[in-house]
Amino acid sequence: MKSGRGILGVFAALAVVVMPSAGCTINACPAIGYARTLMVNVEGNVAAVSDVKVCDETRCSEPEPTAGTPGPKKTVVTEFSPEPQPTVTYPPFHSRREDEDTWVFTVSYGDPAKVTVRALAADGAVLAEREQDLVWTRVGGTEQCGGPVTAPPIQLLVP
């Protein structure tokens, strides 16, 4: 048995010497989610616009949560229940108004290929609407690990 341990020790020593010289490197990516952003620039009758929504094929944007906004309610199950429990769904986009004519949307998941953008009046009336194909481009990070991505700004003309 003693000779078996000696052989393993030799292999371990060789691995320590040979691996770095063989060009093997370990590249670890950070375990973080990168931001995906989309900007909408409103032109024309900007004063009439109360909100801008971006929608994919299933849902529309919601305002970014604020510090005072409570999160989804959680249910504690103390005994087995055969009924399915409700699930929490999150919007595909969160929006914030950057300035008078610019809205910024953070994409919650995925890289949607197409969206519908709507400018809304205070009463909810649609002032302008447009469908837009999106082309996402990485703007940081690395090819191996990914990074933040963005799509070109969308111009929305409000008559």
Side-chain angles (χ1 to χ4, degrees), residues 10-62:
V10 170
F11 281 121
L14 281 173
V16 169
V17 171
V18 172
M19 280 181 52
S21 64
C24 294
T25 57
I26 298 173
N27 292 321
C29 296
I32 61 173
Y34 292 107
R36 290 168 162 70
T37 56
L38 175 64
M39 189 178 311
V40 175
N41 295 317
V42 178
E43 299 171 347
N45 188 8
V46 176
V49 179
S50 175
D51 194 13
V52 173
K53 295 278 187 190
V54 170
C55 306
D56 65 7
E57 60 277 347
T58 59
R59 295 183 303 229
C60 293
S61 59
E62 293 181 11

mmCIF file of all heavy atoms in Angstrom, residues 10-62:
data_model
loop_
_atom_site.group_PDB
_atom_site.id
_atom_site.type_symbol
_atom_site.label_atom_id
_atom_site.label_comp_id
_atom_site.label_asym_id
_atom_site.label_seq_id
_atom_site.Cartn_x
_atom_site.Cartn_y
_atom_site.Cartn_z
ATOM 1 N N VAL A 10 3.379 11.266 -6.747
ATOM 2 C CA VAL A 10 4.153 11.660 -7.921
ATOM 3 C C VAL A 10 3.223 12.251 -8.978
ATOM 4 O O VAL A 10 3.521 13.288 -9.572
ATOM 5 C CB VAL A 10 4.950 10.463 -8.492
ATOM 6 C CG1 VAL A 10 5.547 10.792 -9.842
ATOM 7 C CG2 VAL A 10 6.019 10.019 -7.514
ATOM 8 N N PHE A 11 2.066 11.605 -9.208
ATOM 9 C CA PHE A 11 1.111 12.128 -10.193
ATOM 10 C C PHE A 11 0.576 13.503 -9.776
ATOM 11 O O PHE A 11 0.426 14.397 -10.599
ATOM 12 C CB PHE A 11 -0.056 11.155 -10.403
ATOM 13 C CG PHE A 11 0.290 10.004 -11.293
ATOM 14 C CD1 PHE A 11 0.184 8.703 -10.838
ATOM 15 C CD2 PHE A 11 0.734 10.212 -12.591
ATOM 16 C CE1 PHE A 11 0.500 7.646 -11.655
ATOM 17 C CE2 PHE A 11 1.052 9.161 -13.413
ATOM 18 C CZ PHE A 11 0.940 7.863 -12.946
ATOM 19 N N ALA A 12 0.300 13.673 -8.494
ATOM 20 C CA ALA A 12 -0.184 14.964 -8.012
ATOM 21 C C ALA A 12 0.864 16.046 -8.216
ATOM 22 O O ALA A 12 0.564 17.159 -8.651
ATOM 23 C CB ALA A 12 -0.579 14.867 -6.539
ATOM 24 N N ALA A 13 2.115 15.730 -7.934
ATOM 25 C CA ALA A 13 3.198 16.702 -8.119
ATOM 26 C C ALA A 13 3.363 17.051 -9.589
ATOM 27 O O ALA A 13 3.564 18.213 -9.954
ATOM 28 C CB ALA A 13 4.504 16.161 -7.538
ATOM 29 N N LEU A 14 3.272 16.041 -10.465
ATOM 30 C CA LEU A 14 3.386 16.293 -11.903
ATOM 31 C C LEU A 14 2.234 17.176 -12.391
ATOM 32 O O LEU A 14 2.438 18.054 -13.219
ATOM 33 C CB LEU A 14 3.402 14.980 -12.688
ATOM 34 C CG LEU A 14 4.721 14.228 -12.698
ATOM 35 C CD1 LEU A 14 4.534 12.872 -13.353
ATOM 36 C CD2 LEU A 14 5.793 15.018 -13.403
ATOM 37 N N ALA A 15 1.035 16.950 -11.874
ATOM 38 C CA ALA A 15 -0.114 17.745 -12.295
ATOM 39 C C ALA A 15 0.083 19.210 -11.921
ATOM 40 O O ALA A 15 -0.227 20.108 -12.688
ATOM 41 C CB ALA A 15 -1.396 17.207 -11.663
ATOM 42 N N VAL A 16 0.647 19.454 -10.747
ATOM 43 C CA VAL A 16 0.882 20.825 -10.308
ATOM 44 C C VAL A 16 1.906 21.506 -11.200
ATOM 45 O O VAL A 16 1.801 22.674 -11.532
ATOM 46 C CB VAL A 16 1.338 20.843 -8.828
ATOM 47 C CG1 VAL A 16 1.846 22.219 -8.424
ATOM 48 C CG2 VAL A 16 0.200 20.406 -7.931
ATOM 49 N N VAL A 17 2.907 20.760 -11.670
ATOM 50 C CA VAL A 17 3.960 21.331 -12.505
ATOM 51 C C VAL A 17 3.533 21.438 -13.961
ATOM 52 O O VAL A 17 3.767 22.434 -14.621
ATOM 53 C CB VAL A 17 5.259 20.482 -12.386
ATOM 54 C CG1 VAL A 17 6.293 20.926 -13.396
ATOM 55 C CG2 VAL A 17 5.798 20.550 -10.980
ATOM 56 N N VAL A 18 2.845 20.412 -14.483
ATOM 57 C CA VAL A 18 2.534 20.339 -15.907
ATOM 58 C C VAL A 18 1.345 21.204 -16.293
ATOM 59 O O VAL A 18 1.369 21.862 -17.328
ATOM 60 C CB VAL A 18 2.290 18.869 -16.329
ATOM 61 C CG1 VAL A 18 1.775 18.780 -17.746
ATOM 62 C CG2 VAL A 18 3.566 18.062 -16.160
ATOM 63 N N MET A 19 0.275 21.262 -15.479
ATOM 64 C CA MET A 19 -0.934 21.995 -15.876
ATOM 65 C C MET A 19 -0.672 23.461 -16.183
ATOM 66 O O MET A 19 -1.089 23.938 -17.237
ATOM 67 C CB MET A 19 -2.029 21.841 -14.824
ATOM 68 C CG MET A 19 -2.755 20.523 -14.966
ATOM 69 S SD MET A 19 -4.086 20.288 -13.778
ATOM 70 C CE MET A 19 -5.041 21.748 -13.962
ATOM 71 N N PRO A 20 0.013 24.212 -15.313
ATOM 72 C CA PRO A 20 0.235 25.621 -15.678
ATOM 73 C C PRO A 20 1.079 25.780 -16.924
ATOM 74 O O PRO A 20 0.849 26.673 -17.725
ATOM 75 C CB PRO A 20 0.954 26.200 -14.452
ATOM 76 C CG PRO A 20 0.594 25.297 -13.328
ATOM 77 C CD PRO A 20 0.433 23.940 -13.948
ATOM 78 N N SER A 21 2.016 24.900 -17.146
ATOM 79 C CA SER A 21 2.860 25.034 -18.330
ATOM 80 C C SER A 21 2.136 24.579 -19.587
ATOM 81 O O SER A 21 2.539 24.917 -20.689
ATOM 82 C CB SER A 21 4.165 24.249 -18.149
ATOM 83 O OG SER A 21 3.881 22.859 -18.050
ATOM 84 N N ALA A 22 1.051 23.829 -19.433
ATOM 85 C CA ALA A 22 0.294 23.374 -20.595
ATOM 86 C C ALA A 22 -0.722 24.416 -21.045
ATOM 87 O O ALA A 22 -1.456 24.202 -21.994
ATOM 88 C CB ALA A 22 -0.423 22.058 -20.276
ATOM 89 N N GLY A 23 -0.787 25.545 -20.360
ATOM 90 C CA GLY A 23 -1.695 26.608 -20.772
ATOM 91 C C GLY A 23 -3.092 26.457 -20.218
ATOM 92 O O GLY A 23 -4.011 27.131 -20.635
ATOM 93 N N CYS A 24 -3.311 25.559 -19.267
ATOM 94 C CA CYS A 24 -4.635 25.391 -18.674
ATOM 95 C C CYS A 24 -4.877 26.509 -17.677
ATOM 96 O O CYS A 24 -4.083 26.724 -16.763
ATOM 97 C CB CYS A 24 -4.735 24.043 -17.958
ATOM 98 S SG CYS A 24 -4.639 22.652 -19.085
ATOM 99 N N THR A 25 -5.942 27.214 -17.870
ATOM 100 C CA THR A 25 -6.320 28.236 -16.909
ATOM 101 C C THR A 25 -7.788 28.048 -16.564
ATOM 102 O O THR A 25 -8.558 27.517 -17.355
ATOM 103 C CB THR A 25 -6.129 29.658 -17.481
ATOM 104 O OG1 THR A 25 -6.895 29.775 -18.674
ATOM 105 C CG2 THR A 25 -4.673 29.948 -17.754
ATOM 106 N N ILE A 26 -8.133 28.462 -15.397
ATOM 107 C CA ILE A 26 -9.511 28.357 -14.955
ATOM 108 C C ILE A 26 -10.091 29.765 -14.950
ATOM 109 O O ILE A 26 -9.575 30.654 -14.284
ATOM 110 C CB ILE A 26 -9.594 27.725 -13.560
ATOM 111 C CG1 ILE A 26 -9.026 26.307 -13.607
ATOM 112 C CG2 ILE A 26 -11.018 27.745 -13.051
ATOM 113 C CD1 ILE A 26 -8.912 25.653 -12.255
ATOM 114 N N ASN A 27 -11.126 29.970 -15.733
ATOM 115 C CA ASN A 27 -11.790 31.273 -15.797
ATOM 116 C C ASN A 27 -13.159 31.135 -15.160
ATOM 117 O O ASN A 27 -14.029 30.480 -15.708
ATOM 118 C CB ASN A 27 -11.940 31.755 -17.237
ATOM 119 C CG ASN A 27 -10.617 32.084 -17.865
ATOM 120 O OD1 ASN A 27 -9.745 32.638 -17.216
ATOM 121 N ND2 ASN A 27 -10.444 31.728 -19.125
ATOM 122 N N ALA A 28 -13.330 31.733 -14.011
ATOM 123 C CA ALA A 28 -14.615 31.687 -13.327
ATOM 124 C C ALA A 28 -15.385 32.964 -13.644
ATOM 125 O O ALA A 28 -14.832 34.054 -13.617
ATOM 126 C CB ALA A 28 -14.408 31.555 -11.829
ATOM 127 N N CYS A 29 -16.650 32.799 -13.960
ATOM 128 C CA CYS A 29 -17.502 33.953 -14.226
ATOM 129 C C CYS A 29 -18.199 34.358 -12.940
ATOM 130 O O CYS A 29 -18.547 33.504 -12.126
ATOM 131 C CB CYS A 29 -18.558 33.608 -15.273
ATOM 132 S SG CYS A 29 -17.851 33.221 -16.885
ATOM 133 N N PRO A 30 -18.417 35.646 -12.733
ATOM 134 C CA PRO A 30 -19.146 36.062 -11.538
ATOM 135 C C PRO A 30 -20.584 35.582 -11.612
ATOM 136 O O PRO A 30 -21.177 35.538 -12.687
ATOM 137 C CB PRO A 30 -19.073 37.584 -11.583
ATOM 138 C CG PRO A 30 -18.775 37.924 -13.001
ATOM 139 C CD PRO A 30 -18.040 36.759 -13.585
ATOM 140 N N ALA A 31 -21.109 35.213 -10.494
ATOM 141 C CA ALA A 31 -22.487 34.701 -10.436
ATOM 142 C C ALA A 31 -23.451 35.859 -10.208
ATOM 143 O O ALA A 31 -24.007 36.032 -9.135
ATOM 144 C CB ALA A 31 -22.607 33.669 -9.327
ATOM 145 N N ILE A 32 -23.631 36.675 -11.233
ATOM 146 C CA ILE A 32 -24.556 37.798 -11.130
ATOM 147 C C ILE A 32 -25.430 37.864 -12.369
ATOM 148 O O ILE A 32 -25.063 37.350 -13.419
ATOM 149 C CB ILE A 32 -23.822 39.148 -10.940
ATOM 150 C CG1 ILE A 32 -22.919 39.447 -12.131
ATOM 151 C CG2 ILE A 32 -23.044 39.168 -9.660
ATOM 152 C CD1 ILE A 32 -22.293 40.817 -12.102
ATOM 153 N N GLY A 33 -26.560 38.485 -12.241
ATOM 154 C CA GLY A 33 -27.427 38.704 -13.388
ATOM 155 C C GLY A 33 -27.108 40.063 -13.982
ATOM 156 O O GLY A 33 -27.051 41.060 -13.265
ATOM 157 N N TYR A 34 -26.875 40.106 -15.253
ATOM 158 C CA TYR A 34 -26.531 41.358 -15.903
ATOM 159 C C TYR A 34 -27.782 42.095 -16.348
ATOM 160 O O TYR A 34 -28.769 41.483 -16.726
ATOM 161 C CB TYR A 34 -25.627 41.107 -17.113
ATOM 162 C CG TYR A 34 -24.268 40.612 -16.712
ATOM 163 C CD1 TYR A 34 -23.905 39.296 -16.912
ATOM 164 C CD2 TYR A 34 -23.351 41.473 -16.130
ATOM 165 C CE1 TYR A 34 -22.647 38.853 -16.546
ATOM 166 C CE2 TYR A 34 -22.097 41.037 -15.762
ATOM 167 C CZ TYR A 34 -21.745 39.727 -15.972
ATOM 168 O OH TYR A 34 -20.511 39.296 -15.596
ATOM 169 N N ALA A 35 -27.713 43.405 -16.335
ATOM 170 C CA ALA A 35 -28.847 44.244 -16.710
ATOM 171 C C ALA A 35 -29.083 44.204 -18.215
ATOM 172 O O ALA A 35 -28.158 44.147 -18.999
ATOM 173 C CB ALA A 35 -28.600 45.685 -16.271
ATOM 174 N N ARG A 36 -30.346 44.230 -18.576
ATOM 175 C CA ARG A 36 -30.771 44.367 -19.970
ATOM 176 C C ARG A 36 -31.653 45.602 -19.998
ATOM 177 O O ARG A 36 -32.683 45.636 -19.326
ATOM 178 C CB ARG A 36 -31.554 43.141 -20.409
ATOM 179 C CG ARG A 36 -30.715 41.911 -20.536
ATOM 180 C CD ARG A 36 -31.589 40.669 -20.677
ATOM 181 N NE ARG A 36 -30.859 39.545 -21.199
ATOM 182 C CZ ARG A 36 -29.926 38.879 -20.542
ATOM 183 N NH1 ARG A 36 -29.587 39.246 -19.343
ATOM 184 N NH2 ARG A 36 -29.313 37.853 -21.087
ATOM 185 N N THR A 37 -31.228 46.617 -20.745
ATOM 186 C CA THR A 37 -31.986 47.862 -20.734
ATOM 187 C C THR A 37 -32.450 48.250 -22.127
ATOM 188 O O THR A 37 -31.832 47.894 -23.129
ATOM 189 C CB THR A 37 -31.155 49.023 -20.155
ATOM 190 O OG1 THR A 37 -29.960 49.159 -20.890
ATOM 191 C CG2 THR A 37 -30.844 48.802 -18.688
ATOM 192 N N LEU A 38 -33.553 48.971 -22.135
ATOM 193 C CA LEU A 38 -34.164 49.461 -23.358
ATOM 194 C C LEU A 38 -34.631 50.886 -23.076
ATOM 195 O O LEU A 38 -35.228 51.154 -22.036
ATOM 196 C CB LEU A 38 -35.359 48.567 -23.717
ATOM 197 C CG LEU A 38 -36.215 48.953 -24.903
ATOM 198 C CD1 LEU A 38 -35.389 48.902 -26.187
ATOM 199 C CD2 LEU A 38 -37.396 48.010 -25.010
ATOM 200 N N MET A 39 -34.341 51.806 -23.990
ATOM 201 C CA MET A 39 -34.724 53.205 -23.807
ATOM 202 C C MET A 39 -35.765 53.579 -24.855
ATOM 203 O O MET A 39 -35.663 53.184 -26.011
ATOM 204 C CB MET A 39 -33.495 54.099 -23.954
ATOM 205 C CG MET A 39 -33.753 55.535 -23.568
ATOM 206 S SD MET A 39 -32.296 56.600 -23.695
ATOM 207 C CE MET A 39 -31.070 55.671 -22.833
ATOM 208 N N VAL A 40 -36.766 54.348 -24.425
ATOM 209 C CA VAL A 40 -37.785 54.872 -25.331
ATOM 210 C C VAL A 40 -37.739 56.393 -25.252
ATOM 211 O O VAL A 40 -37.873 56.970 -24.162
ATOM 212 C CB VAL A 40 -39.199 54.360 -24.973
ATOM 213 C CG1 VAL A 40 -40.244 55.012 -25.866
ATOM 214 C CG2 VAL A 40 -39.261 52.836 -25.078
ATOM 215 N N ASN A 41 -37.529 57.024 -26.394
ATOM 216 C CA ASN A 41 -37.525 58.489 -26.495
ATOM 217 C C ASN A 41 -38.842 58.926 -27.129
ATOM 218 O O ASN A 41 -39.162 58.516 -28.244
ATOM 219 C CB ASN A 41 -36.359 58.974 -27.357
ATOM 220 C CG ASN A 41 -35.022 58.651 -26.725
ATOM 221 O OD1 ASN A 41 -34.837 58.819 -25.527
ATOM 222 N ND2 ASN A 41 -34.098 58.163 -27.521
ATOM 223 N N VAL A 42 -39.590 59.750 -26.409
ATOM 224 C CA VAL A 42 -40.870 60.253 -26.898
ATOM 225 C C VAL A 42 -40.619 61.596 -27.563
ATOM 226 O O VAL A 42 -39.935 62.465 -27.014
ATOM 227 C CB VAL A 42 -41.887 60.392 -25.750
ATOM 228 C CG1 VAL A 42 -43.198 60.969 -26.251
ATOM 229 C CG2 VAL A 42 -42.109 59.042 -25.084
ATOM 230 N N GLU A 43 -41.188 61.759 -28.770
ATOM 231 C CA GLU A 43 -41.053 63.005 -29.527
ATOM 232 C C GLU A 43 -42.440 63.540 -29.830
ATOM 233 O O GLU A 43 -43.411 62.800 -29.843
ATOM 234 C CB GLU A 43 -40.293 62.745 -30.827
ATOM 235 C CG GLU A 43 -38.886 62.220 -30.617
ATOM 236 C CD GLU A 43 -38.220 61.771 -31.908
ATOM 237 O OE1 GLU A 43 -38.907 61.632 -32.940
ATOM 238 O OE2 GLU A 43 -37.007 61.546 -31.875
ATOM 239 N N GLY A 44 -42.517 64.823 -30.088
ATOM 240 C CA GLY A 44 -43.798 65.430 -30.442
ATOM 241 C C GLY A 44 -44.473 66.008 -29.212
ATOM 242 O O GLY A 44 -43.856 66.732 -28.429
ATOM 243 N N ASN A 45 -45.739 65.654 -29.002
ATOM 244 C CA ASN A 45 -46.547 66.190 -27.912
ATOM 245 C C ASN A 45 -46.211 65.481 -26.596
ATOM 246 O O ASN A 45 -47.026 64.765 -26.021
ATOM 247 C CB ASN A 45 -48.033 66.044 -28.254
ATOM 248 C CG ASN A 45 -48.923 66.749 -27.261
ATOM 249 O OD1 ASN A 45 -48.451 67.479 -26.382
ATOM 250 N ND2 ASN A 45 -50.213 66.527 -27.400
ATOM 251 N N VAL A 46 -45.015 65.718 -26.100
ATOM 252 C CA VAL A 46 -44.514 65.053 -24.898
ATOM 253 C C VAL A 46 -45.356 65.409 -23.671
ATOM 254 O O VAL A 46 -45.571 64.574 -22.793
ATOM 255 C CB VAL A 46 -43.029 65.424 -24.662
ATOM 256 C CG1 VAL A 46 -42.504 64.846 -23.374
ATOM 257 C CG2 VAL A 46 -42.181 64.965 -25.839
ATOM 258 N N ALA A 47 -45.855 66.625 -23.597
ATOM 259 C CA ALA A 47 -46.629 67.078 -22.437
ATOM 260 C C ALA A 47 -47.896 66.256 -22.227
ATOM 261 O O ALA A 47 -48.380 66.140 -21.097
ATOM 262 C CB ALA A 47 -46.985 68.552 -22.590
ATOM 263 N N ALA A 48 -48.443 65.664 -23.272
ATOM 264 C CA ALA A 48 -49.670 64.874 -23.151
ATOM 265 C C ALA A 48 -49.415 63.473 -22.591
ATOM 266 O O ALA A 48 -50.348 62.793 -22.173
ATOM 267 C CB ALA A 48 -50.343 64.764 -24.519
ATOM 268 N N VAL A 49 -48.156 63.046 -22.565
ATOM 269 C CA VAL A 49 -47.811 61.668 -22.165
ATOM 270 C C VAL A 49 -47.683 61.565 -20.653
ATOM 271 O O VAL A 49 -46.897 62.267 -20.026
ATOM 272 C CB VAL A 49 -46.503 61.219 -22.846
ATOM 273 C CG1 VAL A 49 -46.137 59.800 -22.410
ATOM 274 C CG2 VAL A 49 -46.633 61.305 -24.359
ATOM 275 N N SER A 50 -48.479 60.665 -20.076
ATOM 276 C CA SER A 50 -48.417 60.405 -18.646
ATOM 277 C C SER A 50 -47.579 59.166 -18.336
ATOM 278 O O SER A 50 -46.948 59.084 -17.294
ATOM 279 C CB SER A 50 -49.832 60.205 -18.102
ATOM 280 O OG SER A 50 -49.797 59.844 -16.754
ATOM 281 N N ASP A 51 -47.588 58.204 -19.263
ATOM 282 C CA ASP A 51 -46.860 56.951 -19.043
ATOM 283 C C ASP A 51 -46.491 56.342 -20.388
ATOM 284 O O ASP A 51 -47.126 56.613 -21.399
ATOM 285 C CB ASP A 51 -47.730 55.972 -18.246
ATOM 286 C CG ASP A 51 -46.948 54.801 -17.675
ATOM 287 O OD1 ASP A 51 -45.690 54.839 -17.666
ATOM 288 O OD2 ASP A 51 -47.588 53.832 -17.216
ATOM 289 N N VAL A 52 -45.455 55.518 -20.371
ATOM 290 C CA VAL A 52 -45.058 54.733 -21.543
ATOM 291 C C VAL A 52 -44.984 53.286 -21.102
ATOM 292 O O VAL A 52 -44.423 52.980 -20.045
ATOM 293 C CB VAL A 52 -43.698 55.208 -22.112
ATOM 294 C CG1 VAL A 52 -43.228 54.272 -23.219
ATOM 295 C CG2 VAL A 52 -43.811 56.632 -22.628
ATOM 296 N N LYS A 53 -45.580 52.402 -21.880
ATOM 297 C CA LYS A 53 -45.582 50.969 -21.595
ATOM 298 C C LYS A 53 -44.848 50.237 -22.707
ATOM 299 O O LYS A 53 -44.957 50.594 -23.887
ATOM 300 C CB LYS A 53 -47.005 50.411 -21.524
ATOM 301 C CG LYS A 53 -47.837 50.934 -20.395
ATOM 302 C CD LYS A 53 -47.532 50.203 -19.129
ATOM 303 C CE LYS A 53 -48.494 50.607 -18.030
ATOM 304 N NZ LYS A 53 -48.092 50.092 -16.742
ATOM 305 N N VAL A 54 -44.103 49.214 -22.322
ATOM 306 C CA VAL A 54 -43.491 48.290 -23.274
ATOM 307 C C VAL A 54 -44.088 46.927 -22.983
ATOM 308 O O VAL A 54 -44.134 46.490 -21.827
ATOM 309 C CB VAL A 54 -41.950 48.260 -23.126
ATOM 310 C CG1 VAL A 54 -41.349 47.137 -23.945
ATOM 311 C CG2 VAL A 54 -41.353 49.592 -23.543
ATOM 312 N N CYS A 55 -44.565 46.254 -24.033
ATOM 313 C CA CYS A 55 -45.217 44.959 -23.867
ATOM 314 C C CYS A 55 -44.556 43.924 -24.759
ATOM 315 O O CYS A 55 -44.188 44.227 -25.899
ATOM 316 C CB CYS A 55 -46.694 45.048 -24.246
ATOM 317 S SG CYS A 55 -47.595 46.342 -23.371
ATOM 318 N N ASP A 56 -44.434 42.697 -24.242
ATOM 319 C CA ASP A 56 -44.047 41.592 -25.105
ATOM 320 C C ASP A 56 -45.344 40.870 -25.470
ATOM 321 O O ASP A 56 -46.434 41.421 -25.282
ATOM 322 C CB ASP A 56 -42.995 40.681 -24.445
ATOM 323 C CG ASP A 56 -43.501 39.948 -23.209
ATOM 324 O OD1 ASP A 56 -44.715 40.011 -22.895
ATOM 325 O OD2 ASP A 56 -42.672 39.295 -22.541
ATOM 326 N N GLU A 57 -45.268 39.633 -25.945
ATOM 327 C CA GLU A 57 -46.485 38.963 -26.393
ATOM 328 C C GLU A 57 -47.397 38.538 -25.250
ATOM 329 O O GLU A 57 -48.552 38.182 -25.471
ATOM 330 C CB GLU A 57 -46.156 37.755 -27.284
ATOM 331 C CG GLU A 57 -45.317 36.677 -26.641
ATOM 332 C CD GLU A 57 -43.824 36.967 -26.678
ATOM 333 O OE1 GLU A 57 -43.371 37.862 -27.392
ATOM 334 O OE2 GLU A 57 -43.095 36.285 -25.958
ATOM 335 N N THR A 58 -46.923 38.617 -23.997
ATOM 336 C CA THR A 58 -47.751 38.159 -22.889
ATOM 337 C C THR A 58 -48.136 39.230 -21.886
ATOM 338 O O THR A 58 -49.249 39.217 -21.371
ATOM 339 C CB THR A 58 -47.045 37.020 -22.111
ATOM 340 O OG1 THR A 58 -45.793 37.507 -21.623
ATOM 341 C CG2 THR A 58 -46.809 35.810 -22.992
ATOM 342 N N ARG A 59 -47.223 40.146 -21.571
ATOM 343 C CA ARG A 59 -47.499 41.127 -20.516
ATOM 344 C C ARG A 59 -46.829 42.459 -20.821
ATOM 345 O O ARG A 59 -45.979 42.542 -21.697
ATOM 346 C CB ARG A 59 -46.974 40.613 -19.174
ATOM 347 C CG ARG A 59 -47.706 39.368 -18.688
ATOM 348 C CD ARG A 59 -47.193 38.974 -17.335
ATOM 349 N NE ARG A 59 -45.754 38.760 -17.406
ATOM 350 C CZ ARG A 59 -45.128 37.722 -16.933
ATOM 351 N NH1 ARG A 59 -45.789 36.796 -16.336
ATOM 352 N NH2 ARG A 59 -43.830 37.608 -17.025
ATOM 353 N N CYS A 60 -47.208 43.473 -20.012
ATOM 354 C CA CYS A 60 -46.657 44.822 -20.180
ATOM 355 C C CYS A 60 -45.838 45.238 -18.968
ATOM 356 O O CYS A 60 -45.948 44.645 -17.897
ATOM 357 C CB CYS A 60 -47.784 45.824 -20.402
ATOM 358 S SG CYS A 60 -48.650 45.583 -21.966
ATOM 359 N N SER A 61 -45.072 46.298 -19.173
ATOM 360 C CA SER A 61 -44.195 46.821 -18.127
ATOM 361 C C SER A 61 -44.985 47.362 -16.949
ATOM 362 O O SER A 61 -46.153 47.723 -17.068
ATOM 363 C CB SER A 61 -43.309 47.917 -18.703
ATOM 364 O OG SER A 61 -44.103 48.961 -19.226
ATOM 365 N N GLU A 62 -44.301 47.411 -15.818
ATOM 366 C CA GLU A 62 -44.810 48.039 -14.609
ATOM 367 C C GLU A 62 -43.722 48.957 -14.077
ATOM 368 O O GLU A 62 -42.543 48.732 -14.347
ATOM 369 C CB GLU A 62 -45.157 46.981 -13.562
ATOM 370 C CG GLU A 62 -46.328 46.116 -13.955
ATOM 371 C CD GLU A 62 -46.687 45.088 -12.887
ATOM 372 O OE1 GLU A 62 -46.160 45.181 -11.753
ATOM 373 O OE2 GLU A 62 -47.463 44.190 -13.198
#
